[in-house]
Amino acid sequence: MTSPIPKRVRTGIAFAAILAVCAPLTAHAADISTDDDAASLMIATADFNGDGIADTATVAFAGGESRLTIALGRADGSMQKMPSQKLSGERLRSLVTGDFDHDGKPDLVIADADGTVSLLLGDGAGGIRDTREVARLDSAISVTSADFDRDGKLDLAISDWRASSITVFLGTGAGRFRQAWSFPMRMRGTTPQLSAADYNGDGIPDLAVIYGDDDQYTYDVMLGNGQGTFTSSPELSTAVDANAHCPT
């Protein structure tokens, strides 16, 4: 018999599940494809120009290309769109914000289904000053960010459906990352969404791996140890039917 899950943990995991449901792109594990006639959308928020008002970064795919548009928030609630820019990659799957080069200005990390993970460095005025590839995997479906090793620098966790693994990249604080650790997915060949939060209240970021492929939203909670690695927490995880998914 499993112990009851505290309300604050259930709330956090429920929010992570909502993120999975609302993922900007969904795909079949065996056939990730893109329809040029179908528009898709990813949105992240941050204060991109440092005026204390929330702004948005939108990545839209339509007409065979992906474009990034940053819209700056105004005090009256309206938004000022900055000129959009074309992005490389046609199967962009995940978007996350954070100050990855420690300059006090929000940046963006974008993951492509082909495994390319790119960092777009913000200029502090609502623009992008540089773009670089920071990681490459067999595939990249979902990215989340937190300070997993508690060194004051943001790190990344990325789900890779081709390798059926979750990989952690530790940030250097200078806009670079080094591959540190990985662990296998419970449900191989699936496309789980990731969410980072402190699920057990010890002050260390943890990971929730949410699987939607079985229509039951099986999820695993991986507890962080503060060094960039994680331990599975069966009592905080759930698998409605362990046989509901067969690897392809």
Short mmCIF file of all heavy atoms in Angstrom, two decimals, residues 38-96:
data_model
loop_
_atom_site.label_atom_id
_atom_site.label_comp_id
_atom_site.label_asym_id
_atom_site.label_seq_id
_atom_site.Cartn_x
_atom_site.Cartn_y
_atom_site.Cartn_z
N ALA A 38 -0.69 23.14 -41.22
CA ALA A 38 -1.21 23.26 -39.87
C ALA A 38 -0.30 24.16 -39.04
O ALA A 38 0.90 23.98 -39.00
CB ALA A 38 -1.32 21.88 -39.21
N ALA A 39 -0.87 25.17 -38.40
CA ALA A 39 -0.10 26.08 -37.56
C ALA A 39 0.00 25.52 -36.16
O ALA A 39 -0.95 24.95 -35.62
CB ALA A 39 -0.76 27.46 -37.53
N SER A 40 1.17 25.65 -35.54
CA SER A 40 1.35 25.24 -34.16
C SER A 40 2.00 26.40 -33.42
O SER A 40 2.61 27.29 -34.01
CB SER A 40 2.20 23.97 -34.09
OG SER A 40 3.45 24.18 -34.73
N LEU A 41 1.91 26.36 -32.09
CA LEU A 41 2.26 27.53 -31.31
C LEU A 41 2.88 27.13 -29.98
O LEU A 41 2.43 26.18 -29.33
CB LEU A 41 0.99 28.36 -31.06
CG LEU A 41 1.15 29.79 -30.61
CD1 LEU A 41 1.74 30.64 -31.72
CD2 LEU A 41 -0.23 30.37 -30.23
N MET A 42 3.95 27.83 -29.58
CA MET A 42 4.53 27.71 -28.25
C MET A 42 4.70 29.12 -27.69
O MET A 42 5.13 30.03 -28.40
CB MET A 42 5.88 27.00 -28.30
CG MET A 42 5.82 25.55 -28.77
SD MET A 42 7.41 24.71 -28.64
CE MET A 42 8.36 25.58 -29.90
N ILE A 43 4.37 29.29 -26.40
CA ILE A 43 4.46 30.61 -25.78
C ILE A 43 5.17 30.50 -24.44
O ILE A 43 4.90 29.59 -23.65
CB ILE A 43 3.05 31.23 -25.57
CG1 ILE A 43 2.33 31.37 -26.91
CG2 ILE A 43 3.16 32.59 -24.90
CD1 ILE A 43 0.91 31.88 -26.78
N ALA A 44 6.09 31.43 -24.18
CA ALA A 44 6.76 31.53 -22.89
C ALA A 44 6.73 32.99 -22.45
O ALA A 44 6.64 33.90 -23.28
CB ALA A 44 8.20 31.03 -22.99
N THR A 45 6.80 33.22 -21.15
CA THR A 45 6.76 34.58 -20.63
C THR A 45 8.02 34.90 -19.83
O THR A 45 8.58 34.03 -19.16
CB THR A 45 5.53 34.81 -19.73
OG1 THR A 45 5.58 33.92 -18.61
CG2 THR A 45 4.25 34.57 -20.50
N ALA A 46 8.46 36.14 -19.90
CA ALA A 46 9.59 36.65 -19.13
C ALA A 46 9.60 38.16 -19.33
O ALA A 46 8.86 38.70 -20.16
CB ALA A 46 10.91 36.03 -19.60
N ASP A 47 10.44 38.85 -18.56
CA ASP A 47 10.59 40.30 -18.74
C ASP A 47 11.79 40.53 -19.65
O ASP A 47 12.91 40.73 -19.20
CB ASP A 47 10.80 40.98 -17.38
CG ASP A 47 10.89 42.50 -17.50
OD1 ASP A 47 10.67 43.03 -18.61
OD2 ASP A 47 11.20 43.14 -16.47
N PHE A 48 11.55 40.51 -20.95
CA PHE A 48 12.64 40.52 -21.92
C PHE A 48 13.33 41.88 -22.07
O PHE A 48 14.44 41.95 -22.58
CB PHE A 48 12.15 40.04 -23.28
CG PHE A 48 11.79 38.59 -23.31
CD1 PHE A 48 10.47 38.18 -23.38
CD2 PHE A 48 12.77 37.61 -23.25
CE1 PHE A 48 10.13 36.83 -23.40
CE2 PHE A 48 12.46 36.27 -23.26
CZ PHE A 48 11.13 35.87 -23.34
N ASN A 49 12.68 42.96 -21.63
CA ASN A 49 13.33 44.27 -21.75
C ASN A 49 13.58 44.94 -20.39
O ASN A 49 13.96 46.11 -20.34
CB ASN A 49 12.51 45.20 -22.65
CG ASN A 49 11.12 45.50 -22.10
OD1 ASN A 49 10.64 44.80 -21.20
ND2 ASN A 49 10.48 46.51 -22.64
N GLY A 50 13.37 44.21 -19.31
CA GLY A 50 13.76 44.68 -17.99
C GLY A 50 12.99 45.85 -17.44
O GLY A 50 13.49 46.59 -16.59
N ASP A 51 11.74 46.03 -17.88
CA ASP A 51 10.95 47.16 -17.39
C ASP A 51 9.99 46.77 -16.27
O ASP A 51 9.16 47.58 -15.84
CB ASP A 51 10.18 47.83 -18.54
CG ASP A 51 9.13 46.89 -19.16
OD1 ASP A 51 9.09 45.71 -18.78
OD2 ASP A 51 8.38 47.36 -20.04
N GLY A 52 10.07 45.52 -15.83
CA GLY A 52 9.21 45.06 -14.74
C GLY A 52 7.84 44.61 -15.19
O GLY A 52 7.00 44.27 -14.35
N ILE A 53 7.58 44.56 -16.50
CA ILE A 53 6.30 44.13 -17.04
C ILE A 53 6.51 42.86 -17.85
O ILE A 53 7.46 42.77 -18.64
CB ILE A 53 5.67 45.23 -17.93
CG1 ILE A 53 5.49 46.53 -17.13
CG2 ILE A 53 4.33 44.77 -18.50
CD1 ILE A 53 5.05 47.71 -17.97
N ALA A 54 5.64 41.88 -17.65
CA ALA A 54 5.80 40.59 -18.34
C ALA A 54 5.65 40.74 -19.84
O ALA A 54 4.76 41.45 -20.33
CB ALA A 54 4.77 39.59 -17.80
N ASP A 55 6.52 40.05 -20.57
CA ASP A 55 6.49 40.00 -22.03
C ASP A 55 6.26 38.55 -22.46
O ASP A 55 6.26 37.64 -21.64
CB ASP A 55 7.82 40.51 -22.60
CG ASP A 55 8.25 41.83 -21.98
OD1 ASP A 55 7.41 42.75 -21.92
OD2 ASP A 55 9.42 41.94 -21.56
N THR A 56 6.06 38.34 -23.76
CA THR A 56 5.87 36.98 -24.26
C THR A 56 6.83 36.70 -25.42
O THR A 56 7.20 37.60 -26.17
CB THR A 56 4.42 36.76 -24.77
OG1 THR A 56 4.17 37.64 -25.87
CG2 THR A 56 3.41 37.02 -23.66
N ALA A 57 7.21 35.44 -25.52
CA ALA A 57 7.95 34.94 -26.67
C ALA A 57 7.09 33.85 -27.29
O ALA A 57 6.70 32.90 -26.62
CB ALA A 57 9.30 34.39 -26.26
N THR A 58 6.80 34.00 -28.57
CA THR A 58 5.94 33.06 -29.27
C THR A 58 6.70 32.44 -30.43
O THR A 58 7.31 33.15 -31.23
CB THR A 58 4.68 33.76 -29.83
OG1 THR A 58 3.98 34.38 -28.75
CG2 THR A 58 3.76 32.77 -30.52
N VAL A 59 6.68 31.11 -30.49
CA VAL A 59 7.24 30.39 -31.63
C VAL A 59 6.08 29.77 -32.38
O VAL A 59 5.33 28.96 -31.83
CB VAL A 59 8.25 29.31 -31.20
CG1 VAL A 59 8.70 28.50 -32.40
CG2 VAL A 59 9.45 29.96 -30.52
N ALA A 60 5.91 30.16 -33.63
CA ALA A 60 4.80 29.66 -34.44
C ALA A 60 5.37 28.97 -35.67
O ALA A 60 6.35 29.42 -36.27
CB ALA A 60 3.89 30.81 -34.86
N PHE A 61 4.74 27.86 -36.03
CA PHE A 61 5.11 27.14 -37.25
C PHE A 61 3.93 27.19 -38.20
O PHE A 61 2.83 26.76 -37.87
CB PHE A 61 5.48 25.70 -36.96
CG PHE A 61 5.83 24.93 -38.21
CD1 PHE A 61 7.10 25.03 -38.75
CD2 PHE A 61 4.89 24.15 -38.85
CE1 PHE A 61 7.43 24.35 -39.91
CE2 PHE A 61 5.21 23.46 -40.02
CZ PHE A 61 6.49 23.56 -40.55
N ALA A 62 4.16 27.72 -39.37
CA ALA A 62 3.11 27.79 -40.39
C ALA A 62 3.76 28.04 -41.73
O ALA A 62 4.80 28.71 -41.83
CB ALA A 62 2.11 28.90 -40.06
N GLY A 63 3.16 27.48 -42.76
CA GLY A 63 3.66 27.71 -44.11
C GLY A 63 5.06 27.18 -44.35
O GLY A 63 5.80 27.70 -45.18
N GLY A 64 5.46 26.16 -43.58
CA GLY A 64 6.75 25.53 -43.81
C GLY A 64 7.91 26.17 -43.09
O GLY A 64 9.07 25.78 -43.32
N GLU A 65 7.68 27.14 -42.19
CA GLU A 65 8.78 27.73 -41.45
C GLU A 65 8.36 28.09 -40.03
O GLU A 65 7.18 28.28 -39.74
CB GLU A 65 9.33 28.98 -42.15
CG GLU A 65 8.37 30.15 -42.19
CD GLU A 65 9.00 31.38 -42.85
OE1 GLU A 65 9.93 31.20 -43.66
OE2 GLU A 65 8.57 32.51 -42.54
N SER A 66 9.36 28.15 -39.15
CA SER A 66 9.14 28.53 -37.76
C SER A 66 9.64 29.95 -37.54
O SER A 66 10.72 30.31 -38.02
CB SER A 66 9.87 27.58 -36.81
OG SER A 66 9.38 26.26 -36.94
N ARG A 67 8.85 30.75 -36.79
CA ARG A 67 9.25 32.13 -36.53
C ARG A 67 9.06 32.45 -35.05
O ARG A 67 8.10 32.00 -34.41
CB ARG A 67 8.43 33.11 -37.39
CG ARG A 67 8.58 32.91 -38.89
CD ARG A 67 8.08 34.11 -39.67
NE ARG A 67 8.94 35.28 -39.52
CZ ARG A 67 10.02 35.51 -40.28
NH1 ARG A 67 10.36 34.65 -41.23
NH2 ARG A 67 10.74 36.59 -40.09
N LEU A 68 10.01 33.23 -34.53
CA LEU A 68 9.96 33.70 -33.15
C LEU A 68 9.52 35.16 -33.13
O LEU A 68 10.06 35.99 -33.86
CB LEU A 68 11.34 33.58 -32.50
CG LEU A 68 11.53 34.31 -31.17
CD1 LEU A 68 10.71 33.63 -30.06
CD2 LEU A 68 13.01 34.36 -30.78
N THR A 69 8.53 35.46 -32.30
CA THR A 69 8.08 36.84 -32.11
C THR A 69 8.06 37.15 -30.63
O THR A 69 7.44 36.44 -29.84
CB THR A 69 6.68 37.06 -32.69
OG1 THR A 69 6.67 36.72 -34.08
CG2 THR A 69 6.26 38.53 -32.54
N ILE A 70 8.75 38.20 -30.23
CA ILE A 70 8.71 38.69 -28.84
C ILE A 70 7.78 39.89 -28.81
O ILE A 70 7.90 40.81 -29.63
CB ILE A 70 10.12 39.05 -28.35
CG1 ILE A 70 10.96 37.78 -28.22
CG2 ILE A 70 10.04 39.80 -27.01
CD1 ILE A 70 12.40 38.03 -27.79
N ALA A 71 6.85 39.87 -27.86
CA ALA A 71 5.92 40.99 -27.68
C ALA A 71 6.16 41.59 -26.30
O ALA A 71 6.13 40.87 -25.29
CB ALA A 71 4.48 40.52 -27.82
N LEU A 72 6.40 42.89 -26.26
CA LEU A 72 6.72 43.57 -25.01
C LEU A 72 5.45 44.09 -24.36
O LEU A 72 4.63 44.76 -24.99
CB LEU A 72 7.68 44.73 -25.28
CG LEU A 72 9.00 44.36 -25.97
CD1 LEU A 72 9.86 45.60 -26.19
CD2 LEU A 72 9.76 43.32 -25.15
N GLY A 73 5.29 43.75 -23.07
CA GLY A 73 4.11 44.20 -22.34
C GLY A 73 4.18 45.67 -21.99
O GLY A 73 5.25 46.21 -21.71
N ARG A 74 3.02 46.31 -22.02
CA ARG A 74 2.91 47.72 -21.63
C ARG A 74 2.10 47.83 -20.36
O ARG A 74 1.34 46.92 -20.00
CB ARG A 74 2.24 48.51 -22.75
CG ARG A 74 3.05 48.59 -24.04
CD ARG A 74 2.22 49.15 -25.16
NE ARG A 74 3.00 49.50 -26.35
CZ ARG A 74 2.51 49.70 -27.55
NH1 ARG A 74 1.19 49.58 -27.73
NH2 ARG A 74 3.28 50.00 -28.57
N ALA A 75 2.23 48.96 -19.69
CA ALA A 75 1.54 49.16 -18.41
C ALA A 75 0.03 49.12 -18.56
O ALA A 75 -0.69 48.79 -17.61
CB ALA A 75 1.98 50.49 -17.80
N ASP A 76 -0.49 49.44 -19.74
CA ASP A 76 -1.94 49.43 -19.95
C ASP A 76 -2.48 48.06 -20.33
O ASP A 76 -3.66 47.90 -20.63
CB ASP A 76 -2.35 50.47 -21.00
CG ASP A 76 -1.75 50.19 -22.38
OD1 ASP A 76 -1.05 49.16 -22.54
OD2 ASP A 76 -1.99 51.00 -23.30
N GLY A 77 -1.59 47.05 -20.36
CA GLY A 77 -2.02 45.69 -20.68
C GLY A 77 -1.90 45.33 -22.15
O GLY A 77 -2.11 44.17 -22.52
N SER A 78 -1.55 46.28 -22.98
CA SER A 78 -1.37 45.98 -24.41
C SER A 78 0.03 45.41 -24.64
O SER A 78 0.89 45.42 -23.75
CB SER A 78 -1.58 47.24 -25.25
OG SER A 78 -0.62 48.23 -24.92
N MET A 79 0.27 44.92 -25.86
CA MET A 79 1.55 44.30 -26.20
C MET A 79 2.12 44.96 -27.46
O MET A 79 1.39 45.23 -28.41
CB MET A 79 1.37 42.80 -26.45
CG MET A 79 0.70 42.03 -25.33
SD MET A 79 1.68 41.95 -23.80
CE MET A 79 3.00 40.85 -24.30
N GLN A 80 3.41 45.21 -27.45
CA GLN A 80 4.10 45.75 -28.61
C GLN A 80 4.94 44.65 -29.24
O GLN A 80 5.93 44.20 -28.66
CB GLN A 80 5.01 46.92 -28.22
CG GLN A 80 5.85 47.45 -29.36
CD GLN A 80 6.92 48.43 -28.90
OE1 GLN A 80 6.96 48.82 -27.75
NE2 GLN A 80 7.79 48.81 -29.83
N LYS A 81 4.56 44.23 -30.43
CA LYS A 81 5.29 43.15 -31.11
C LYS A 81 6.59 43.67 -31.70
O LYS A 81 6.63 44.69 -32.36
CB LYS A 81 4.43 42.54 -32.22
CG LYS A 81 3.33 41.62 -31.72
CD LYS A 81 2.67 40.90 -32.89
CE LYS A 81 1.63 39.91 -32.41
NZ LYS A 81 1.00 39.17 -33.53
N MET A 82 7.66 42.92 -31.42
CA MET A 82 8.95 43.20 -32.04
C MET A 82 9.01 42.46 -33.38
O MET A 82 8.24 41.54 -33.63
CB MET A 82 10.08 42.74 -31.12
CG MET A 82 10.02 43.34 -29.72
SD MET A 82 10.28 45.11 -29.73
CE MET A 82 12.05 45.19 -30.03
N PRO A 83 9.92 42.87 -34.28
CA PRO A 83 10.03 42.16 -35.56
C PRO A 83 10.32 40.67 -35.32
O PRO A 83 11.15 40.30 -34.50
CB PRO A 83 11.22 42.85 -36.24
CG PRO A 83 11.26 44.21 -35.63
CD PRO A 83 10.84 44.03 -34.21
N SER A 84 9.61 39.82 -36.05
CA SER A 84 9.81 38.39 -35.89
C SER A 84 11.05 37.94 -36.64
O SER A 84 11.55 38.65 -37.52
CB SER A 84 8.59 37.61 -36.40
OG SER A 84 8.44 37.77 -37.79
N GLN A 85 11.57 36.78 -36.27
CA GLN A 85 12.74 36.24 -36.96
C GLN A 85 12.54 34.77 -37.24
O GLN A 85 11.92 34.04 -36.46
CB GLN A 85 14.01 36.47 -36.14
CG GLN A 85 14.07 35.75 -34.81
CD GLN A 85 15.34 36.07 -34.06
OE1 GLN A 85 15.48 37.15 -33.46
NE2 GLN A 85 16.28 35.15 -34.09
N LYS A 86 13.07 34.34 -38.37
CA LYS A 86 12.96 32.94 -38.76
C LYS A 86 13.91 32.10 -37.94
O LYS A 86 15.04 32.50 -37.66
CB LYS A 86 13.26 32.78 -40.25
CG LYS A 86 13.06 31.37 -40.76
CD LYS A 86 13.33 31.28 -42.25
CE LYS A 86 13.16 29.86 -42.76
NZ LYS A 86 13.40 29.77 -44.23
N LEU A 87 13.44 30.92 -37.53
CA LEU A 87 14.25 29.99 -36.77
C LEU A 87 14.59 28.79 -37.64
O LEU A 87 13.82 28.38 -38.50
CB LEU A 87 13.49 29.51 -35.54
CG LEU A 87 13.08 30.57 -34.52
CD1 LEU A 87 12.21 29.95 -33.44
CD2 LEU A 87 14.31 31.24 -33.90
N SER A 88 15.77 28.23 -37.40
CA SER A 88 16.11 26.98 -38.09
C SER A 88 15.35 25.84 -37.42
O SER A 88 15.03 25.90 -36.24
CB SER A 88 17.62 26.72 -38.02
OG SER A 88 18.03 26.62 -36.67
N GLY A 89 15.05 24.82 -38.17
CA GLY A 89 14.28 23.70 -37.63
C GLY A 89 12.81 23.85 -37.96
O GLY A 89 12.25 24.94 -37.87
N GLU A 90 12.19 22.74 -38.33
CA GLU A 90 10.78 22.76 -38.69
C GLU A 90 9.93 21.92 -37.76
O GLU A 90 8.72 21.82 -37.96
CB GLU A 90 10.61 22.28 -40.13
CG GLU A 90 11.28 23.19 -41.15
CD GLU A 90 11.05 22.71 -42.57
OE1 GLU A 90 10.45 21.64 -42.75
OE2 GLU A 90 11.48 23.42 -43.50
N ARG A 91 10.54 21.30 -36.75
CA ARG A 91 9.78 20.47 -35.83
C ARG A 91 10.12 20.87 -34.40
O ARG A 91 10.50 20.05 -33.57
CB ARG A 91 10.09 18.99 -36.08
CG ARG A 91 9.69 18.52 -37.47
CD ARG A 91 9.85 17.02 -37.63
NE ARG A 91 11.24 16.61 -37.48
CZ ARG A 91 11.63 15.35 -37.36
NH1 ARG A 91 10.73 14.38 -37.34
NH2 ARG A 91 12.91 15.04 -37.26
N LEU A 92 10.01 22.15 -34.11
CA LEU A 92 10.33 22.67 -32.79
C LEU A 92 9.29 22.18 -31.79
O LEU A 92 8.09 22.27 -32.04
CB LEU A 92 10.38 24.19 -32.82
CG LEU A 92 11.39 24.77 -33.83
CD1 LEU A 92 11.38 26.27 -33.79
CD2 LEU A 92 12.79 24.23 -33.56
N ARG A 93 9.75 21.66 -30.67
CA ARG A 93 8.86 20.95 -29.77
C ARG A 93 8.75 21.56 -28.37
O ARG A 93 7.81 21.26 -27.65
CB ARG A 93 9.31 19.49 -29.62
CG ARG A 93 9.28 18.70 -30.92
CD ARG A 93 7.87 18.63 -31.48
NE ARG A 93 6.96 18.03 -30.53
CZ ARG A 93 6.64 16.74 -30.48
NH1 ARG A 93 7.19 15.91 -31.35
NH2 ARG A 93 5.79 16.28 -29.60
N SER A 94 9.73 22.34 -27.95
CA SER A 94 9.70 22.83 -26.57
C SER A 94 10.43 24.16 -26.47
O SER A 94 11.40 24.40 -27.19
CB SER A 94 10.35 21.79 -25.64
OG SER A 94 10.10 22.08 -24.28
N LEU A 95 9.94 25.01 -25.58
CA LEU A 95 10.46 26.36 -25.41
C LEU A 95 10.52 26.67 -23.92
O LEU A 95 9.55 26.46 -23.19
CB LEU A 95 9.55 27.36 -26.12
CG LEU A 95 9.80 28.86 -25.92
CD1 LEU A 95 11.11 29.26 -26.59
CD2 LEU A 95 8.63 29.67 -26.51
N VAL A 96 11.67 27.15 -23.43
CA VAL A 96 11.81 27.47 -22.01
C VAL A 96 12.65 28.75 -21.89
O VAL A 96 13.53 29.01 -22.71
CB VAL A 96 12.46 26.31 -21.23
CG1 VAL A 96 13.88 26.05 -21.70
CG2 VAL A 96 12.41 26.54 -19.73
#
